[in-house]
Amino acid sequence: MKRKAIMLVGMLSAGTAAFAQSAPKDSLQYVALEEVQIVSTRATSKTPVAFTDVNKEQINKQNFGLDIPFLLTSTPSVLTTSDAGSGVGYTSIRVRGTDATRINITTNGIPMNDAESHSIYWVNTPDIASSLEDMQIQRGAGTSTNGAGAFGASINMRTQGIPSKAYAEVSGSYGSFNTNKETFKVGTGLLHNHWAFDARVSNIQSDGYRDRATSDLKSYFLQGGYYGENTSVKLITFGGKEQTYHAWDGISKDMLKTNRRYNPNGKIKEGNEDAEDAKTIGFYDDQMDNYRQTHYQLLVNHTFSPEWNMNVALHYTDGYGYYQEYKNGRTLKEYGLTPYTIEGVTYKKSNLVRQKLVESDFGGGVFSFNYRTNRLDASVGGGLNYYTNDHYGKVLWVKNYIGDLAADHEYYRNTGRKTDGNIYAKANYDLGSGVNLYADMQYRYIKYKINGNNDKWDFREGYDKLQRLDINEDFNFFNPKAGLFWQINRSNSAYASFGVAQKEPSRNNYTDGGFTKFPKPEKMFDYELGYTYRGKCFTAGANLYYMDYTDQLVLNGRLNEIGEPMAENVKDSYRMGLELTAGAKITPWLRWDVNATWSKNRIKNYVEYVSDYNESWDELYTQTARELGTTPIAFSPSFMAGSLISFSHKGWEASFQSQYVSRQYLDNAGVKENSLDAYFVSHLHAGYTFNVPYTKGVTVGATVYNIFNKKYETNGYSQTAAVYETDAEGNKVGNATIYNDPRYYPMAGTNVLFNIALKF
């Protein structure tokens, strides 16, 4: 793997040098970020979609150690979660209730979502925010983009541009839970009118709010660029290495009252017990997730004429990692191990330590040809990417095991391969009288294969072996979009749009689904209607949306052949809502921005499957289907609102940020017992910049998160069962009692981060 990475860097460097030798000479005026990045996937002020831009200054004012999702909480319809409860480590984002597997993420137009899981793990690229120029969040189907299907939102990140002058910056943060962040940045500025280089290294560590929810994150960013009169070339590499203790399991409602910081992961139970009530005698120290991810990007821009330009990018991502965990009372044959006998007693189960490993390679290219005149802005672009992912597992140790256990005993292995290609054409044409017509068409092709043994044991009669994966799927998606933008006058504008988005199932939809029946792809029709007012001191906007889904994949409680929860397609579901934004410049040094979202998110004709458990046997029995009619979609609050009051005057800056989120259901049944309570949380930041000789300024500050010490939870999951009374023969008697036992991920109470930054 290292050899492949070294070869790639060499190839990219050679390509950069070749471009440099043949490029025309001069001049400073062409040093601009847009010239070396794919920007055709971005919305502009006249694109009829709902979007929010977050610039570098806004990012830097919040970037003291928390992950990117927490830097976006002041934008409309955004929710964040944190397993560790502190915003460091495993975090995630939802937009309009859309989860991370349905949000397209790109950096410089290059896909960032994992091609199989469709998620992005921010922990793999720690402190990437320190190397960003800006971000754009598009809500709804948005514009055509590369990579994973944007099935409700997309986030387009751009890495920093090349400043014309040399600089250096050192910054650090320290606060609650031993959270600390250290970042060093340096740049050469423009050398000999053509060359420039930048570098960053970062370290982030935290004990986490929850017990043992530690994070140890390292990252870097390097870029070098050549800038000619008509051609610009930039080579970028960035990556991260993370080690986090598992905080993947939630806690009960009773535990929230007695010990909110409790983390059940890593439990070592007495004996070889996997029963819930078995005595816990300690916690496993190495219950860790370890991953390394390295990105390489070669970005080339060429300007043919004032109207025509071209962007091309080649990319490669190398990933390797594993998580290690202690498992109690595991069935040995599931791990390729034979039962063992001690003093005449045969043991078919035992406690053990296992590793699950993944090694991935992702590479390809994206491009766009762009044409712009006074009335027409058009692009033709696309990309072709290939992904391969090896999944395998090892058993490192078995308690009291008597038998042959080879070092690094491997018990399963499978490989996922994915080819993802797309091509799009889009145009925004000025019809006159302030009216622009927008059209956007994309064709996307996906070929996905998984071959090998899964880590799940197939207990069905006649099988009794690891689940065999033999998946070979092809998808062809046509995603058209169209809209009108009307600049009514200098201050008022409106737009209307329609878009189609389609998405293939994720790896988990296959591996955790039925063994003989595969899920279908999902489709969404997105209708948007918006209005914006921009005055000298006041801005306001409103956006109506209706997202109509066909075959959306949801967890409905149904189990697959071995009794594990799986996602199924539901025929009809929708999200509809109203997003409002407003901002007022009260004085030259005081501003207030607010946003709110009212929404209705529903599944039609929903059927829930509840597992029946016999209390005396404590084992899976059967399932009961419940026709619930129209129900709310999980993790989709009906109302949320945000407020940001910001102050800046004579070196002082301060902000007061608040967010309210209404009740969220943990599943699709709409039962209050399985829900997250509404919460209102606020954060306060204050800082001052000193003028210090031989520097560009020294800034010190502090942020108090959850200043009112609100006890709240942003994530969780339901555990629902139907319990029947039984007669002496074990037959069911009477109606079932529905038993709800949800789990929650608590967020930290009041906590503080102090920060300092020196710029040179």
Side-chain angles (χ1 to χ4, degrees):
M1 189 59 61
K2 290 182 179 178
R3 185 180 300 171
K4 287 189 285 185
I6 292 171
M7 291 175 60
L8 180 71
V9 172
M11 293 167 59
L12 296 183
S13 299
T16 304
F19 253 96
Q21 293 170 5
S22 61
K25 296 182 178 181
D26 246 320
S27 87
L28 285 174
Q29 63 180 330
Y30 290 97
V31 182
L33 178 74
E34 288 78 6
E35 296 193 14
V36 287
Q37 301 195 9
I38 305 292
V39 295
S40 63
T41 56
R42 283 209 163 189
T44 68
S45 60
K46 294 184 178 181
T47 307
V49 299
F51 70 93
T52 301
D53 287 325
V54 181
N55 62 36
K56 188 173 186 176
E57 182 182 5
Q58 292 169 307
I59 295 170
N60 291 340
K61 284 183 177 180
Q62 302 181 75
N63 185 26
F64 307 126
L66 274 59
D67 291 345
I68 278 183
F70 285 82
L71 305 185
L72 299 176
T73 53
S74 61
T75 60
S77 301
V78 167
L79 292 173
T80 57
T81 69
S82 170
D83 288 1
S86 58
V88 180
Y90 271 91
T91 62
S92 190
I93 187 171
R94 298 190 185 102
V95 182
R96 290 184 180 175
T98 299
D99 66 36
T101 65
R102 289 163 164 77
I103 299 175
N104 170 276
I105 314 287
T106 57
T107 300
N108 304 327
I110 293 168
M112 293 286 288
N113 300 73
D114 182 86
E116 285 200 291
S117 71
H118 301 177
S119 290
I120 182 169
Y121 302 101
W122 300 102
V123 73
N124 294 338
T125 53
D127 202 27
I128 185 67
S130 290
S131 297
L132 293 183
E133 190 72 21
D134 56 23
M135 291 184 280
Q136 182 178 93
I137 307 172
Q138 297 181 18
R139 303 183 297 279
T143 62
S144 288
T145 185
N146 299 304
F151 207 66
S154 60
I155 300 176
N156 184 308
M157 303 185 293
R158 296 197 292 187
T159 54
Q160 65 187 53
I162 299 290
S164 59
K165 296 182 179 180
Y167 71 93
E169 181 179 337
V170 180
S171 61
S173 304
Y174 182 79
S176 303
F177 322 122
N178 284 320
T179 299
N180 62 92
K181 174 194 172 193
E182 297 79 39
T183 300
F184 175 69
K185 298 176 64 175
V186 64
T188 64
L190 205 61
L191 302 174
H192 305 294
N193 291 337
H194 291 296
W195 296 92
F197 302 89
D198 294 89
R200 171 188 60 81
V201 290
S202 299
N203 172 66
I204 301 175
Q205 294 177 321
S206 178
D207 290 344
Y209 169 67
R210 301 178 67 192
D211 298 337
R212 306 178 312 284
T214 57
S215 299
D216 186 357
L217 317 175
K218 318 289 185 188
S219 71
Y220 77 95
F221 176 89
L222 293 170
Q223 68 175 356
Y226 175 86
Y227 300 88
E229 184 176 1
N230 297 310
T231 302
S232 301
V233 182
K234 186 186 284 188
L235 175 64
I236 300 173
T237 176
F238 60 93
K241 184 178 182 181
E242 62 90 5
Q243 184 180 71
T244 56
Y245 194 95
H246 297 183
W248 300 346
D249 293 343
I251 61 176
S252 68
K253 188 167 292 186
D254 289 338
M255 187 64 74
L256 287 175
K257 299 173 184 176
T258 58
N259 184 8
R260 291 179 58 82
R261 302 182 71 167
Y262 179 69
N263 177 9
N265 289 97
K267 285 191 291 190
I268 300 175
K269 294 184 177 181
E270 192 172 42
N272 296 327
E273 297 291 335
D274 61 345
E276 190 65 30
D277 59 353
K279 182 180 178 180
T280 298
I281 59 175
F283 292 90
Y284 182 55
D285 290 338
D286 292 329
Q287 189 91 356
M288 294 287 190
D289 181 70
N290 303 267
Y291 199 78
R292 169 195 51 77
Q293 191 175 82
T294 308
H295 299 256
Y296 304 94
Q297 299 181 352
L298 177 65
L299 312 176
V300 180
N301 169 269
H302 181 72
T303 300
F304 300 98
S305 69
E307 295 82 19
W308 282 96
N309 70 79
M310 172 194 72
N311 301 105
V312 176
L314 300 177
H315 68 90
Y316 172 70
T317 301
D318 170 33
Y320 169 79
Y322 64 90
Y323 67 85
Q324 188 164 303
E325 58 184 344
Y326 191 98
K327 303 296 289 184
N328 295 281
R330 305 303 292 180
T331 302
L332 293 173
K333 71 176 181 180
E334 296 182 37
Y335 295 86
L337 300 170
T338 57
Y340 61 95
T341 301
I342 299 178
E343 296 180 354
V345 179
T346 299
Y347 293 88
K348 296 182 178 180
K349 292 184 176 182
S350 184
N351 296 355
L352 54 83
V353 174
R354 72 180 186 188
Q355 278 185 354
K356 288 190 173 183
L357 304 95
V358 63
E359 184 173 348
S360 63
D361 297 275
F362 177 53
V366 299
F367 73 94
S368 70
F369 291 91
N370 311 296
Y371 177 78
R372 178 177 293 182
T373 64
N374 291 335
R375 301 189 67 176
L376 177 64
D377 188 352
S379 297
V380 174
L384 181 63
N385 306 298
Y386 180 75
Y387 179 89
T388 180
N389 209 355
D390 292 321
H391 304 263
Y392 52 104
K394 299 178 180 180
V395 177
L396 306 184
W397 170 85
V398 182
K399 183 178 180 180
N400 297 328
Y401 190 68
I402 297 176
D404 294 328
L405 178 61
D408 295 339
H409 169 80
E410 186 173 295
Y411 68 99
Y412 79 93
R413 178 180 286 268
N414 62 78
T415 300
R417 297 180 178 86
K418 189 171 188 178
T419 302
D420 186 343
N422 85 98
I423 188 167
Y424 60 82
K426 61 180 69 174
N428 200 327
Y429 183 71
D430 184 354
L431 297 173
S433 301
V435 178
N436 281 64
L437 175 64
Y438 176 78
D440 182 345
M441 295 178 291
Q442 181 197 53
Y443 168 73
R444 183 168 175 242
Y445 169 75
I446 303 104
K447 186 173 188 62
Y448 184 39
K449 294 182 178 181
I450 312 178
N451 299 105
N453 291 324
N454 199 13
D455 64 329
K456 304 178 188 301
W457 194 264
D458 189 347
F459 289 101
R460 292 178 297 166
E461 185 176 352
Y463 289 85
D464 202 36
K465 60 183 179 181
L466 287 172
Q467 177 193 5
R468 182 68 186 174
L469 298 174
D470 188 14
I471 296 162
N472 188 352
E473 295 272 83
D474 292 87
F475 302 95
N476 293 273
F477 297 141
F478 176 60
N479 300 317
K481 304 173 180 70
L484 284 171
F485 176 88
W486 182 22
Q487 188 68 52
I488 303 169
N489 53 41
R490 184 186 297 270
S491 300
N492 297 276
S493 62
Y495 65 84
S497 66
F498 168 75
V500 177
Q502 298 181 81
K503 179 181 176 296
E504 73 278 16
S506 69
R507 172 185 170 87
N508 284 352
N509 296 146
Y510 288 106
T511 61
D512 298 344
F515 286 9
T516 57
K517 182 181 179 182
F518 293 158
K520 295 184 289 187
E522 306 168 272
K523 180 180 284 189
M524 179 185 72
F525 298 100
D526 182 29
Y527 306 84
E528 307 269 343
L529 181 65
Y531 165 80
T532 302
Y533 171 82
R534 291 185 176 88
K536 185 176 181 180
C537 297
F538 178 75
T539 61
N543 186 73
L544 285 167
Y545 65 88
Y546 183 79
M547 297 158 64
D548 185 16
Y549 299 93
T550 300
D551 292 325
Q552 184 177 188
L553 281 161
V554 304
L555 288 170
N556 65 350
R558 186 188 280 273
L559 306 177
N560 63 14
E561 289 88 338
I562 60 173
E564 294 186 330
M566 67 185 212
E568 280 197 316
N569 298 101
V570 293
K571 186 176 181 180
D572 295 315
S573 55
Y574 66 88
R575 301 181 188 274
M576 60 184 298
L578 170 64
E579 296 169 325
L580 298 178
T581 59
K585 188 177 181 180
I586 301 171
T587 70
W589 40 267
L590 183 64
R591 182 177 179 86
W592 189 13
D593 293 279
V594 296
N595 63 74
T597 301
W598 286 267
S599 64
K600 186 176 181 180
N601 313 278
R602 297 290 186 267
I603 299 174
K604 300 178 181 178
N605 303 313
Y606 178 66
V607 179
E608 181 190 44
Y609 293 85
V610 181
S611 297
D612 305 344
Y613 284 85
N614 182 300
E615 290 180 306
S616 60
W617 296 343
D618 191 30
E619 63 183 15
L620 181 66
Y621 193 63
T622 56
Q623 281 198 296
T624 298
R626 300 199 301 165
E627 296 182 3
L628 301 180
T630 299
T631 62
I633 301 177
F635 299 106
S636 302
S638 59
F639 178 71
M640 53 187 300
S643 168
L644 178 62
I645 301 173
S646 52
F647 166 90
S648 180
H649 185 62
K650 293 185 177 180
W652 287 98
E653 64 175 22
S655 64
F656 185 70
Q657 179 182 340
S658 300
Q659 186 180 44
Y660 173 82
V661 179
S662 68
R663 183 174 304 280
Q664 302 175 69
Y665 295 101
L666 300 177
D667 57 24
N668 301 300
V671 176
K672 185 177 180 181
E673 288 80 3
N674 284 335
S675 68
L676 301 172
D677 290 337
Y679 61 86
F680 180 79
V681 62
S682 299
H683 317 297
L684 176 65
H685 171 75
Y688 182 74
T689 300
F690 298 88
N691 293 318
V692 177
Y694 308 109
T695 74
K696 295 178 182 178
V698 177
T699 301
V700 295
T703 305
V704 183
Y705 299 99
N706 193 1
I707 190 170
F708 299 123
N709 201 29
K710 173 69 177 177
K711 293 182 178 180
Y712 70 109
E713 301 79 44
T714 61
N715 201 9
Y717 50 91
S718 68
Q719 298 183 140
T720 302
V723 180
Y724 286 86
E725 293 183 7
T726 58
D727 58 23
E729 286 76 30
N731 299 312
K732 296 178 183 178
V733 177
N735 296 321
T737 299
I738 303 301
Y739 177 68
N740 298 303
D741 186 23
R743 293 293 184 266
Y744 302 91
Y745 296 87
M747 296 295 291
T750 301
N751 62 101
V752 182
L753 268 180
F754 299 95
N755 66 280
I756 183 170
L758 291 78
K759 297 182 179 181
F760 301 92

